[in-house]
Amino acid sequence: MSERLQPGDTAPAFTLPDADGNEVSLAAHKGRKVIVYFYPAALTPGCTKQACDFTDNLDVLAGAGYDVIGVSPDKPEKLAKFREKESLKVTLVGDPDKTVIESYAAYGEKKNYGKTYMGVIRSTIIVDEEGKVERALYNVRAAGHVAKIIKDLEI
């Protein structure tokens, strides 16, 4: 398991398929700030709330120079269903083998109803224009998270 990222670390490079099977890479966003958020699964209540919040605030974030990429272990076909069902505008990419999710330390031990298991830890990494980690937020809550990011970034 990777160590959690810290401000100043170089964000791990990645290229992953989006909902349409097109490749999306972090490198392609150099020169812009990127909010990379990790969520457990498309089409689940918390993840839907979070994706809808990012979509609802996409114009505000983009206006402040931020691109948003959502990463989950889902395959592109499931991401496409998620995007269509919820009218999502945020870029969603799939990491079925969890290589990128693990490189960002967004995979690990979780507890739910007293049971311990391994899974995707809801996390948000804010990457600056140079590809460095500006903020690394782990174990975030789905509800209210986007509003908190906007407030913390003073957008």
Side-chain angles (χ1 to χ4, degrees), residues 92-109:
L92 301 174
V93 298
D95 182 19
D97 61 11
K98 302 178 192 73
T99 308
V100 174
I101 293 168
E102 288 180 4
S103 73
Y104 276 79
Y107 186 83
E109 203 170 87

Side-chain angles (χ1 to χ4, degrees), residues 57-134:
N57 289 286
L58 208 52
D59 289 345
V60 170
L61 292 165
Y66 290 88
D67 294 334
V68 180
I69 302 172
V71 183
S72 75
D74 298 305
K75 289 186 167 35
E77 302 76 38
K78 188 172 180 190
L79 296 175
K81 278 187 197 140
F82 187 33
R83 181 185 62 197
E84 303 313 315
K85 182 174 188 278
E86 302 298 337
S87 302
L88 301 174
K89 303 265 184 288
V90 63
T91 300
L92 301 174
V93 298
D95 182 19
D97 61 11
K98 302 178 192 73
T99 308
V100 174
I101 293 168
E102 288 180 4
S103 73
Y104 276 79
Y107 186 83
E109 203 170 87
K110 297 172 68 166
K111 281 188 166 73
N112 196 15
Y113 300 114
K115 286 191 169 66
T116 301
Y117 63 98
M118 297 298 284
V120 176
I121 298 164
R122 195 179 302 279
S123 309
T124 301
I125 310 301
I126 299 172
V127 181
D128 71 13
E129 300 90 339
E130 299 302 313
K132 298 275 189 217
V133 174
E134 193 174 292

Side-chain angles (χ1 to χ4, degrees), residues 48-59:
T48 297
K49 169 89 181 102
Q50 190 176 21
C52 288
D53 281 354
F54 271 116
T55 292
D56 292 346
N57 289 286
L58 208 52
D59 289 345

Side-chain angles (χ1 to χ4, degrees), residues 49-50 53 140-151:
K49 169 89 181 102
Q50 190 176 21
D53 281 354
V140 302
R141 301 187 74 71
H145 179 58
V146 176
K148 184 178 181 343
I149 289 173
I150 289 170
K151 181 175 181 273

